[in-house]
Amino acid sequence: MELYAYYDPPNTQTMLEHVQEALKVFPPNSHLVTFGRKIFPSFQKMLYLTIILHDIGKTPFNTFYSDKIKSREKISFLGHEVISGWITYRLLIGNTQASRNLLNLIGIQSEDFRAAKGGEIITLAVLLHHHPMNLRDRIKTFKDSSSNLYLTGEHISAFCSSLESAIATYLGVQPYIFQKALLEALGEERSGQKIAEDTGNLYDELFKKVWIDGNRKTRKLFLLLLQGLVAADYQSARKRGGEKVSRFSEAMSTFTELYGSAVEGPCDSNG
């Protein structure tokens, strides 16, 4: 099953194409990653994990709109970040053995990660990676339009299969381990409406923990990760073509030129 992150023929972008391009935007010696490591040593792996998870919510849309894909009609992924954020929360804050093992294998010490509110920060970044659009409105719209949309184990398996090379290369783990942790996080099949209901409450909880109650370090880490994700997402999306260049995308290009460039001198690429 070919998964798409964008589908508006003749302009299309597969999930693998989109994620791989996004993962290249901020290399290990970039200004953004170098600064991020000063806040949290495993910032690079945090960013990679965030980028890989940010569009997992598009997977069930591919199934839901399979007839449109066959007839080469444009499909919408409105509200996909609601699903992405929900499963990311379950994966990283569920504190299951599979989740702890996954983090440690990736190279992120699970205890340090929890102390830094890493799971909350990544989940909030995933939820807000289309932050110019109002998230609460998108949650409501998604809930109203998702009565027949479900997230299933088959979707998790299809997503991991489509990103096997990216998971292995950038996270350094076997894709089946990543898949096992996600399946455990999912549990049983969930409806889009239930996911939307849960996510509305999660958003309030996460915003309070990260932004209201978080210290300066927590806020810095969140802003840096969110900006890295948004810029990487936009830069990758520009590769597919078919869209006008907005002021916002121009700003993202400028940000990438500045913070995606290499830091002069030796740079530790671990973490």
Side-chain angles (χ1 to χ4, degrees):
M1 175 184 179
E2 185 78 271
L3 291 184
Y4 290 94
Y6 183 81
Y7 196 82
D8 185 12
N11 299 301
T12 66
Q13 192 174 46
T14 67
M15 186 73 74
L16 180 60
E17 289 169 342
H18 179 62
V19 170
Q20 282 187 326
E21 288 296 333
L23 287 165
K24 296 175 185 176
V25 173
F26 296 106
N29 61 344
S30 64
H31 281 81
L32 183 124
V33 173
T34 301
F35 182 52
R37 283 202 196 94
K38 295 177 181 179
I39 305 172
F40 187 74
S42 298
F43 177 81
Q44 181 186 1
K45 287 298 180 72
M46 276 187 73
L47 180 61
Y48 288 164
L49 182 58
T50 307
I51 290 172
I52 284 174
L53 288 168
H54 84 283
D55 272 352
I56 187 174
K58 289 182 176 179
T59 310
F61 286 85
N62 277 260
T63 303
F64 189 71
Y65 291 119
S66 60
D67 289 342
K68 285 192 172 185
I69 292 175
K70 289 176 182 177
S71 58
R72 296 185 60 77
E73 297 177 49
K74 179 180 180 179
I75 65 173
S76 169
F77 298 99
L78 178 63
H80 69 273
E81 74 274 24
V82 178
I83 299 175
S84 297
W86 180 84
I87 192 64
T88 297
Y89 179 91
R90 301 265 301 186
L91 174 68
L92 300 179
I93 306 177
N95 197 29
T96 64
Q97 187 61 48
S99 174
R100 291 192 296 273
N101 289 343
L102 176 65
L103 288 170
N104 290 331
L105 287 171
I106 289 172
I108 303 173
Q109 293 301 314
S110 57
E111 294 300 325
D112 296 340
F113 185 75
R114 283 198 294 276
K117 298 184 180 179
E120 289 86 351
I121 288 170
I122 290 178
T123 303
L124 192 57
V126 168
L127 282 172
L128 293 174
H129 76 271
H130 289 293
H131 68 280
M133 310 169 194
N134 187 291
L135 179 61
R136 292 191 183 282
D137 286 347
R138 285 170 70 87
I139 291 175
K140 183 179 184 304
T141 301
F142 172 69
K143 181 181 178 182
D144 292 342
S145 62
S146 62
S147 58
N148 295 315
L149 190 142
Y150 290 82
L151 179 63
T152 69
E154 287 77 12
H155 292 135
I156 298 295
S157 298
F159 174 79
C160 293
S161 178
S162 71
L163 294 185
E164 279 186 352
S165 59
I167 292 167
T169 301
Y170 288 90
L171 296 184
V173 298
Q174 293 296 322
Y176 80 87
I177 296 174
F178 192 72
Q179 178 177 315
K180 178 182 177 182
L182 278 170
L183 287 171
E184 189 171 321
L186 171 64
E188 60 187 13
E189 176 182 292
R190 301 299 174 102
S191 70
Q193 289 187 328
K194 183 66 171 70
I195 289 173
E197 290 172 6
D198 291 346
T199 305
N201 296 326
L202 288 179
Y203 175 59
D204 294 332
E205 172 193 326
L206 292 167
F207 189 79
K208 184 175 187 301
K209 284 185 177 180
V210 172
W211 195 254
I212 304 299
D213 297 337
N215 57 29
R216 287 184 64 191
K217 181 177 178 181
T218 300
R219 292 175 186 171
K220 277 184 178 180
L221 186 58
F222 165 65
L223 288 175
L224 199 64
L225 191 74
L226 174 61
Q227 193 59 60
L229 172 60
V230 171
D233 189 37
Y234 267 78
Q235 289 303 106
S236 176
R238 292 186 70 175
K239 299 282 186 180
R240 70 196 179 208
E243 293 185 353
K244 295 180 180 179
V245 177
S246 66
R247 289 186 178 181
F248 188 80
S249 63
E250 288 179 342
M252 290 299 96
S253 294
T254 300
F255 179 88
T256 302
E257 289 173 8
L258 293 172
Y259 289 93
S261 60
V263 174
E264 295 182 2
C267 177
D268 178 13
S269 63
N270 295 323

